Short mmCIF file of all heavy atoms in Angstrom, two decimals:
data_model
loop_
_atom_site.label_atom_id
_atom_site.label_comp_id
_atom_site.label_asym_id
_atom_site.label_seq_id
_atom_site.Cartn_x
_atom_site.Cartn_y
_atom_site.Cartn_z
N MET A 22 -0.69 -46.76 18.03
CA MET A 22 -0.53 -45.35 18.40
C MET A 22 -1.35 -45.06 19.65
O MET A 22 -2.54 -45.36 19.71
CB MET A 22 -0.99 -44.45 17.25
CG MET A 22 -1.10 -42.96 17.60
SD MET A 22 0.50 -42.14 17.68
CE MET A 22 0.92 -42.13 15.93
N GLN A 23 -0.70 -44.47 20.67
CA GLN A 23 -1.40 -43.96 21.84
C GLN A 23 -1.17 -42.45 21.90
O GLN A 23 -0.05 -41.99 21.74
CB GLN A 23 -0.92 -44.66 23.12
CG GLN A 23 -1.16 -46.16 23.07
CD GLN A 23 -1.11 -46.84 24.42
OE1 GLN A 23 -1.31 -46.23 25.45
NE2 GLN A 23 -0.85 -48.15 24.41
N THR A 24 -2.25 -41.72 22.10
CA THR A 24 -2.24 -40.27 21.95
C THR A 24 -2.61 -39.60 23.26
O THR A 24 -3.58 -40.00 23.91
CB THR A 24 -3.23 -39.84 20.84
OG1 THR A 24 -2.75 -40.36 19.60
CG2 THR A 24 -3.35 -38.34 20.76
N LEU A 26 -3.95 -36.21 24.71
CA LEU A 26 -4.63 -34.96 24.38
C LEU A 26 -4.54 -34.02 25.58
O LEU A 26 -5.09 -34.31 26.64
CB LEU A 26 -6.10 -35.24 24.05
CG LEU A 26 -6.37 -36.24 22.93
CD1 LEU A 26 -7.84 -36.60 22.87
CD2 LEU A 26 -5.89 -35.70 21.59
N VAL A 79 -6.92 -37.18 16.72
CA VAL A 79 -7.23 -38.52 17.23
C VAL A 79 -7.04 -39.60 16.15
O VAL A 79 -6.76 -40.76 16.47
CB VAL A 79 -8.68 -38.55 17.78
CG1 VAL A 79 -9.14 -39.97 18.08
CG2 VAL A 79 -8.77 -37.68 19.04
N SER A 82 -5.35 -43.38 16.23
CA SER A 82 -4.99 -43.72 17.61
C SER A 82 -5.78 -44.93 18.11
O SER A 82 -7.00 -45.00 17.93
CB SER A 82 -5.28 -42.54 18.54
OG SER A 82 -4.62 -41.37 18.10
N GLU A 83 -5.08 -45.84 18.74
CA GLU A 83 -5.76 -46.95 19.41
C GLU A 83 -6.37 -46.49 20.73
O GLU A 83 -7.50 -46.85 21.07
CB GLU A 83 -4.77 -48.08 19.68
CG GLU A 83 -5.38 -49.25 20.46
CD GLU A 83 -4.34 -50.25 20.93
OE1 GLU A 83 -3.13 -50.04 20.67
OE2 GLU A 83 -4.72 -51.23 21.60
N ILE A 84 -5.61 -45.66 21.46
CA ILE A 84 -6.05 -45.14 22.75
C ILE A 84 -5.76 -43.65 22.78
O ILE A 84 -4.68 -43.22 22.36
CB ILE A 84 -5.32 -45.83 23.92
CG1 ILE A 84 -5.50 -47.35 23.87
CG2 ILE A 84 -5.82 -45.29 25.26
CD1 ILE A 84 -4.61 -48.10 24.85
N ALA A 85 -6.70 -42.86 23.28
CA ALA A 85 -6.47 -41.44 23.52
C ALA A 85 -6.68 -41.16 25.00
O ALA A 85 -7.66 -41.61 25.60
CB ALA A 85 -7.43 -40.59 22.69
N TYR A 86 -5.75 -40.42 25.58
CA TYR A 86 -5.83 -40.02 26.99
C TYR A 86 -6.16 -38.54 27.03
O TYR A 86 -5.40 -37.72 26.51
CB TYR A 86 -4.49 -40.26 27.69
CG TYR A 86 -4.02 -41.70 27.67
CD1 TYR A 86 -3.34 -42.22 26.56
CD2 TYR A 86 -4.25 -42.55 28.75
CE1 TYR A 86 -2.92 -43.53 26.53
CE2 TYR A 86 -3.83 -43.86 28.74
CZ TYR A 86 -3.16 -44.35 27.63
OH TYR A 86 -2.74 -45.66 27.60
N LEU A 87 -7.29 -38.20 27.65
CA LEU A 87 -7.69 -36.81 27.76
C LEU A 87 -7.23 -36.27 29.10
O LEU A 87 -7.79 -36.59 30.15
CB LEU A 87 -9.21 -36.68 27.62
CG LEU A 87 -9.77 -35.25 27.69
CD1 LEU A 87 -9.15 -34.34 26.64
CD2 LEU A 87 -11.30 -35.28 27.53
N MET A 106 -14.85 -31.96 25.58
CA MET A 106 -15.30 -33.34 25.80
C MET A 106 -16.16 -33.82 24.65
O MET A 106 -16.00 -34.95 24.16
CB MET A 106 -16.05 -33.44 27.12
CG MET A 106 -16.58 -34.85 27.42
SD MET A 106 -15.28 -36.13 27.49
CE MET A 106 -14.69 -35.88 29.17
N VAL A 109 -13.93 -34.59 21.66
CA VAL A 109 -13.10 -35.78 21.85
C VAL A 109 -13.94 -37.04 21.76
O VAL A 109 -13.53 -38.03 21.12
CB VAL A 109 -12.34 -35.69 23.19
CG1 VAL A 109 -11.66 -37.01 23.51
CG2 VAL A 109 -11.30 -34.57 23.14
N ILE A 110 -15.11 -37.04 22.38
CA ILE A 110 -16.00 -38.21 22.28
C ILE A 110 -16.35 -38.47 20.81
O ILE A 110 -16.28 -39.61 20.33
CB ILE A 110 -17.27 -38.00 23.12
CG1 ILE A 110 -16.93 -38.06 24.62
CG2 ILE A 110 -18.32 -39.07 22.78
CD1 ILE A 110 -18.09 -37.68 25.52
N ASP A 111 -16.73 -37.42 20.09
CA ASP A 111 -17.09 -37.59 18.67
C ASP A 111 -15.92 -38.13 17.86
O ASP A 111 -16.09 -39.02 17.01
CB ASP A 111 -17.55 -36.25 18.09
CG ASP A 111 -18.91 -35.80 18.62
OD1 ASP A 111 -19.62 -36.62 19.24
OD2 ASP A 111 -19.25 -34.62 18.42
N ALA A 112 -14.73 -37.61 18.12
CA ALA A 112 -13.56 -38.05 17.36
C ALA A 112 -13.23 -39.51 17.67
O ALA A 112 -12.92 -40.30 16.76
CB ALA A 112 -12.36 -37.15 17.68
N CYS A 113 -13.30 -39.88 18.94
CA CYS A 113 -13.01 -41.27 19.32
C CYS A 113 -14.06 -42.22 18.76
O CYS A 113 -13.74 -43.33 18.31
CB CYS A 113 -12.93 -41.40 20.84
SG CYS A 113 -11.44 -40.64 21.56
N ALA A 114 -15.33 -41.79 18.76
CA ALA A 114 -16.38 -42.62 18.18
C ALA A 114 -16.16 -42.82 16.68
O ALA A 114 -16.33 -43.92 16.15
CB ALA A 114 -17.74 -41.97 18.44
N GLU A 115 -15.77 -41.76 16.00
CA GLU A 115 -15.55 -41.84 14.55
C GLU A 115 -14.40 -42.77 14.21
O GLU A 115 -14.48 -43.54 13.23
CB GLU A 115 -15.28 -40.44 14.00
CG GLU A 115 -14.97 -40.41 12.51
CD GLU A 115 -14.71 -39.00 12.00
OE1 GLU A 115 -15.18 -38.03 12.62
OE2 GLU A 115 -14.02 -38.88 10.96
N HIS A 116 -13.33 -42.72 14.99
CA HIS A 116 -12.11 -43.47 14.64
C HIS A 116 -11.97 -44.79 15.39
O HIS A 116 -10.98 -45.49 15.19
CB HIS A 116 -10.88 -42.59 14.91
CG HIS A 116 -10.79 -41.38 14.03
ND1 HIS A 116 -10.59 -41.47 12.66
CD2 HIS A 116 -10.90 -40.06 14.31
CE1 HIS A 116 -10.57 -40.26 12.14
NE2 HIS A 116 -10.75 -39.38 13.12
N GLY A 117 -12.96 -45.16 16.23
CA GLY A 117 -12.87 -46.40 16.97
C GLY A 117 -11.75 -46.39 17.99
O GLY A 117 -11.13 -47.43 18.28
N THR A 118 -11.49 -45.22 18.57
CA THR A 118 -10.40 -45.03 19.53
C THR A 118 -10.92 -45.16 20.95
O THR A 118 -11.95 -44.59 21.30
CB THR A 118 -9.78 -43.63 19.34
OG1 THR A 118 -9.28 -43.53 18.00
CG2 THR A 118 -8.65 -43.39 20.32
N LYS A 119 -10.21 -45.91 21.79
CA LYS A 119 -10.55 -45.99 23.20
C LYS A 119 -10.21 -44.66 23.88
O LYS A 119 -9.19 -44.04 23.53
CB LYS A 119 -9.80 -47.12 23.89
CG LYS A 119 -10.13 -48.51 23.37
CD LYS A 119 -9.26 -49.54 24.07
CE LYS A 119 -9.53 -50.95 23.56
NZ LYS A 119 -8.65 -51.95 24.21
N LEU A 120 -11.02 -44.26 24.86
CA LEU A 120 -10.83 -42.96 25.51
C LEU A 120 -10.61 -43.15 27.01
O LEU A 120 -11.45 -43.74 27.70
CB LEU A 120 -12.04 -42.06 25.27
CG LEU A 120 -12.04 -40.68 25.96
CD1 LEU A 120 -10.79 -39.89 25.62
CD2 LEU A 120 -13.29 -39.91 25.57
N VAL A 121 -9.49 -42.63 27.49
CA VAL A 121 -9.16 -42.64 28.91
C VAL A 121 -9.19 -41.20 29.40
O VAL A 121 -8.41 -40.37 28.95
CB VAL A 121 -7.76 -43.25 29.15
CG1 VAL A 121 -7.39 -43.21 30.63
CG2 VAL A 121 -7.72 -44.69 28.63
N PHE A 122 -10.09 -40.91 30.33
CA PHE A 122 -10.31 -39.55 30.80
C PHE A 122 -9.73 -39.39 32.20
O PHE A 122 -10.12 -40.09 33.13
CB PHE A 122 -11.80 -39.23 30.81
CG PHE A 122 -12.16 -37.89 31.41
CD1 PHE A 122 -11.42 -36.75 31.12
CD2 PHE A 122 -13.26 -37.77 32.24
CE1 PHE A 122 -11.76 -35.52 31.67
CE2 PHE A 122 -13.62 -36.54 32.78
CZ PHE A 122 -12.86 -35.42 32.51
N PHE A 123 -8.80 -38.46 32.33
CA PHE A 123 -8.22 -38.14 33.64
C PHE A 123 -9.10 -37.08 34.30
O PHE A 123 -9.17 -35.94 33.84
CB PHE A 123 -6.78 -37.63 33.48
CG PHE A 123 -6.13 -37.27 34.79
CD1 PHE A 123 -5.88 -38.24 35.73
CD2 PHE A 123 -5.78 -35.96 35.07
CE1 PHE A 123 -5.29 -37.92 36.94
CE2 PHE A 123 -5.19 -35.62 36.27
CZ PHE A 123 -4.95 -36.62 37.21
N ALA A 156 -17.97 -35.32 32.95
CA ALA A 156 -17.88 -36.74 33.32
C ALA A 156 -19.15 -37.47 32.90
O ALA A 156 -19.09 -38.59 32.37
CB ALA A 156 -17.64 -36.88 34.81
N MET A 158 -21.16 -36.68 30.47
CA MET A 158 -21.15 -36.81 29.01
C MET A 158 -20.43 -38.10 28.59
O MET A 158 -20.93 -38.85 27.73
CB MET A 158 -20.48 -35.60 28.37
CG MET A 158 -21.27 -34.32 28.44
SD MET A 158 -20.31 -32.87 27.89
CE MET A 158 -20.06 -33.27 26.15
N LEU A 159 -19.27 -38.35 29.18
CA LEU A 159 -18.52 -39.54 28.81
C LEU A 159 -19.22 -40.80 29.31
O LEU A 159 -19.32 -41.80 28.59
CB LEU A 159 -17.10 -39.47 29.36
CG LEU A 159 -16.23 -40.71 29.10
CD1 LEU A 159 -16.17 -41.06 27.61
CD2 LEU A 159 -14.83 -40.51 29.66
N LEU A 160 -19.71 -40.78 30.54
CA LEU A 160 -20.38 -41.97 31.07
C LEU A 160 -21.59 -42.34 30.22
O LEU A 160 -21.84 -43.53 29.96
CB LEU A 160 -20.82 -41.71 32.52
CG LEU A 160 -19.68 -41.55 33.54
CD1 LEU A 160 -20.24 -41.11 34.89
CD2 LEU A 160 -18.88 -42.85 33.70
N GLU A 161 -22.34 -41.34 29.76
CA GLU A 161 -23.50 -41.62 28.91
C GLU A 161 -23.07 -42.15 27.55
O GLU A 161 -23.73 -43.05 27.00
CB GLU A 161 -24.34 -40.36 28.76
CG GLU A 161 -25.06 -39.97 30.05
CD GLU A 161 -25.84 -38.67 29.92
OE1 GLU A 161 -25.63 -37.94 28.92
OE2 GLU A 161 -26.66 -38.39 30.83
N ALA A 162 -21.97 -41.63 27.00
CA ALA A 162 -21.47 -42.13 25.72
C ALA A 162 -20.99 -43.57 25.86
O ALA A 162 -21.19 -44.40 24.95
CB ALA A 162 -20.35 -41.24 25.20
N MET A 163 -20.36 -43.89 26.99
CA MET A 163 -19.93 -45.26 27.26
C MET A 163 -21.13 -46.19 27.38
O MET A 163 -21.17 -47.28 26.80
CB MET A 163 -19.07 -45.30 28.52
CG MET A 163 -17.69 -44.67 28.35
SD MET A 163 -16.90 -44.16 29.93
CE MET A 163 -17.09 -45.62 30.95
N GLN A 164 -22.14 -45.76 28.14
CA GLN A 164 -23.32 -46.59 28.37
C GLN A 164 -24.08 -46.84 27.06
O GLN A 164 -24.63 -47.92 26.84
CB GLN A 164 -24.24 -45.92 29.39
CG GLN A 164 -25.43 -46.77 29.82
CD GLN A 164 -26.23 -46.12 30.93
OE1 GLN A 164 -26.12 -44.92 31.18
NE2 GLN A 164 -27.04 -46.92 31.61
N ALA A 165 -24.08 -45.83 26.19
CA ALA A 165 -24.77 -45.97 24.91
C ALA A 165 -23.96 -46.77 23.90
O ALA A 165 -24.47 -47.06 22.80
CB ALA A 165 -25.08 -44.58 24.35
N GLY A 166 -22.73 -47.11 24.23
CA GLY A 166 -21.89 -47.87 23.31
C GLY A 166 -21.24 -47.05 22.22
O GLY A 166 -20.70 -47.60 21.26
N ARG A 167 -21.26 -45.71 22.36
CA ARG A 167 -20.63 -44.86 21.34
C ARG A 167 -19.11 -44.98 21.39
O ARG A 167 -18.44 -44.93 20.37
CB ARG A 167 -21.02 -43.40 21.54
CG ARG A 167 -22.45 -43.06 21.16
CD ARG A 167 -22.58 -41.56 21.00
NE ARG A 167 -21.80 -41.07 19.87
CZ ARG A 167 -21.20 -39.88 19.84
NH1 ARG A 167 -21.27 -39.06 20.88
NH2 ARG A 167 -20.51 -39.52 18.78
N VAL A 168 -18.58 -45.05 22.61
CA VAL A 168 -17.13 -45.15 22.78
C VAL A 168 -16.82 -46.20 23.85
O VAL A 168 -17.63 -46.45 24.75
CB VAL A 168 -16.48 -43.81 23.20
CG1 VAL A 168 -16.59 -42.78 22.11
CG2 VAL A 168 -17.06 -43.30 24.51
N GLN A 169 -15.66 -46.80 23.71
CA GLN A 169 -15.13 -47.64 24.78
C GLN A 169 -14.21 -46.75 25.59
O GLN A 169 -13.18 -46.28 25.08
CB GLN A 169 -14.37 -48.84 24.20
CG GLN A 169 -14.00 -49.88 25.25
CD GLN A 169 -13.40 -51.13 24.64
OE1 GLN A 169 -13.24 -51.22 23.42
NE2 GLN A 169 -13.06 -52.10 25.47
N GLY A 170 -14.58 -46.47 26.83
CA GLY A 170 -13.82 -45.51 27.60
C GLY A 170 -13.72 -45.90 29.06
O GLY A 170 -14.31 -46.89 29.52
N LEU A 171 -12.95 -45.11 29.79
CA LEU A 171 -12.87 -45.26 31.23
C LEU A 171 -12.56 -43.91 31.84
O LEU A 171 -12.00 -43.02 31.19
CB LEU A 171 -11.84 -46.32 31.64
CG LEU A 171 -10.34 -46.07 31.39
CD1 LEU A 171 -9.68 -45.25 32.51
CD2 LEU A 171 -9.61 -47.39 31.24
N VAL A 172 -12.94 -43.76 33.10
CA VAL A 172 -12.65 -42.56 33.88
C VAL A 172 -11.65 -42.93 34.96
O VAL A 172 -11.88 -43.84 35.75
CB VAL A 172 -13.92 -41.98 34.52
CG1 VAL A 172 -13.58 -40.76 35.37
CG2 VAL A 172 -14.96 -41.62 33.46
N GLY A 173 -10.52 -42.22 34.99
CA GLY A 173 -9.54 -42.35 36.08
C GLY A 173 -9.60 -41.08 36.90
O GLY A 173 -9.20 -40.02 36.43
N LEU A 224 -2.84 -44.37 35.35
CA LEU A 224 -3.63 -44.06 34.16
C LEU A 224 -3.13 -44.88 32.96
O LEU A 224 -3.94 -45.42 32.19
CB LEU A 224 -3.54 -42.56 33.87
CG LEU A 224 -4.69 -41.93 33.08
CD1 LEU A 224 -5.98 -41.99 33.87
CD2 LEU A 224 -4.36 -40.48 32.74
N LEU A 226 -1.56 -47.74 33.12
CA LEU A 226 -1.91 -49.14 33.39
C LEU A 226 -3.37 -49.42 33.04
O LEU A 226 -3.69 -50.41 32.38
CB LEU A 226 -1.63 -49.45 34.86
CG LEU A 226 -2.04 -50.83 35.38
CD1 LEU A 226 -1.36 -51.94 34.59
CD2 LEU A 226 -1.71 -50.95 36.87
N LEU A 227 -4.25 -48.54 33.47
CA LEU A 227 -5.67 -48.72 33.15
C LEU A 227 -5.90 -48.69 31.63
O LEU A 227 -6.64 -49.52 31.10
CB LEU A 227 -6.50 -47.63 33.82
CG LEU A 227 -6.66 -47.73 35.33
CD1 LEU A 227 -7.26 -46.43 35.91
CD2 LEU A 227 -7.52 -48.92 35.72
N GLY A 228 -5.28 -47.74 30.96
CA GLY A 228 -5.48 -47.63 29.53
C GLY A 228 -5.03 -48.85 28.77
O GLY A 228 -5.56 -49.15 27.69
N ASN A 229 -4.08 -49.58 29.31
CA ASN A 229 -3.54 -50.77 28.64
C ASN A 229 -4.02 -52.06 29.28
O ASN A 229 -3.42 -53.12 29.07
CB ASN A 229 -2.01 -50.70 28.64
CG ASN A 229 -1.49 -49.65 27.66
OD1 ASN A 229 -1.37 -49.92 26.47
ND2 ASN A 229 -1.23 -48.45 28.16
N THR A 230 -5.13 -51.98 30.02
CA THR A 230 -5.77 -53.16 30.62
C THR A 230 -7.17 -53.30 30.03
O THR A 230 -8.07 -52.52 30.37
CB THR A 230 -5.86 -53.01 32.15
OG1 THR A 230 -4.54 -52.84 32.69
CG2 THR A 230 -6.52 -54.23 32.77
N PRO A 231 -7.38 -54.23 29.11
CA PRO A 231 -8.66 -54.29 28.39
C PRO A 231 -9.89 -54.36 29.30
O PRO A 231 -10.91 -53.74 29.00
CB PRO A 231 -8.52 -55.55 27.53
CG PRO A 231 -7.04 -55.65 27.27
CD PRO A 231 -6.39 -55.20 28.55
N ASP A 232 -9.81 -55.11 30.41
CA ASP A 232 -11.01 -55.24 31.23
C ASP A 232 -11.25 -54.06 32.16
O ASP A 232 -12.20 -54.05 32.95
CB ASP A 232 -11.00 -56.55 32.03
CG ASP A 232 -9.89 -56.62 33.08
OD1 ASP A 232 -9.28 -55.58 33.41
OD2 ASP A 232 -9.63 -57.73 33.60
N ALA A 233 -10.41 -53.01 32.06
CA ALA A 233 -10.62 -51.81 32.88
C ALA A 233 -11.62 -50.85 32.24
O ALA A 233 -12.08 -49.91 32.91
CB ALA A 233 -9.29 -51.08 33.10
N TYR A 234 -11.98 -51.10 30.99
CA TYR A 234 -12.81 -50.13 30.27
C TYR A 234 -14.29 -50.23 30.67
O TYR A 234 -14.73 -51.19 31.28
CB TYR A 234 -12.64 -50.32 28.76
CG TYR A 234 -11.36 -49.67 28.27
CD1 TYR A 234 -10.15 -50.35 28.31
CD2 TYR A 234 -11.35 -48.35 27.84
CE1 TYR A 234 -8.97 -49.75 27.90
CE2 TYR A 234 -10.18 -47.74 27.42
CZ TYR A 234 -9.00 -48.44 27.47
OH TYR A 234 -7.83 -47.83 27.07
N ASN A 235 -14.99 -49.12 30.33
CA ASN A 235 -16.41 -48.96 30.65
C ASN A 235 -16.66 -48.96 32.16
O ASN A 235 -17.70 -49.45 32.63
CB ASN A 235 -17.25 -50.03 29.94
CG ASN A 235 -17.14 -49.90 28.44
OD1 ASN A 235 -17.16 -48.79 27.90
ND2 ASN A 235 -17.01 -51.02 27.74
N GLN A 236 -15.71 -48.37 32.87
CA GLN A 236 -15.80 -48.25 34.32
C GLN A 236 -15.18 -46.92 34.75
O GLN A 236 -14.42 -46.30 34.02
CB GLN A 236 -15.03 -49.36 35.02
CG GLN A 236 -15.46 -50.77 34.70
CD GLN A 236 -14.62 -51.78 35.45
OE1 GLN A 236 -14.57 -51.80 36.68
NE2 GLN A 236 -13.92 -52.62 34.70
N THR A 237 -15.50 -46.54 35.99
CA THR A 237 -14.81 -45.44 36.67
C THR A 237 -13.86 -46.05 37.70
O THR A 237 -14.22 -46.99 38.41
CB THR A 237 -15.81 -44.51 37.38
OG1 THR A 237 -16.63 -43.88 36.40
CG2 THR A 237 -15.09 -43.44 38.18
N TRP A 238 -12.65 -45.48 37.76
CA TRP A 238 -11.64 -45.95 38.71
C TRP A 238 -11.13 -44.77 39.53
O TRP A 238 -10.82 -43.72 38.98
CB TRP A 238 -10.45 -46.56 37.96
CG TRP A 238 -10.78 -47.78 37.18
CD1 TRP A 238 -11.26 -47.84 35.91
CD2 TRP A 238 -10.64 -49.14 37.62
NE1 TRP A 238 -11.43 -49.14 35.52
CE2 TRP A 238 -11.07 -49.97 36.55
CE3 TRP A 238 -10.20 -49.72 38.81
CZ2 TRP A 238 -11.06 -51.36 36.65
CZ3 TRP A 238 -10.20 -51.11 38.90
CH2 TRP A 238 -10.62 -51.91 37.83
#
Side-chain angles (χ1 to χ4, degrees):
M22 170 77 71
Q23 300 198 23
T24 295
L26 303 171
V79 170
S82 304
E83 176 190 0
I84 304 170
Y86 301 83
L87 181 56
M106 179 59 82
V109 170
I110 289 172
D111 289 347
C113 288
E115 177 180 336
H116 294 294
T118 300
K119 297 177 181 178
L120 176 55
V121 177
F122 175 42
F123 179 65
M158 289 171 65
L159 176 55
L160 293 172
E161 290 177 347
M163 289 159 49
Q164 186 174 18
R167 287 197 66 214
V168 294
Q169 190 173 1
L171 67 84
V172 178
L224 205 65
L226 175 58
L227 288 168
N229 288 276
T230 301
D232 66 14
Y234 280 86
N235 297 319
Q236 301 180 60
T237 295
W238 296 86

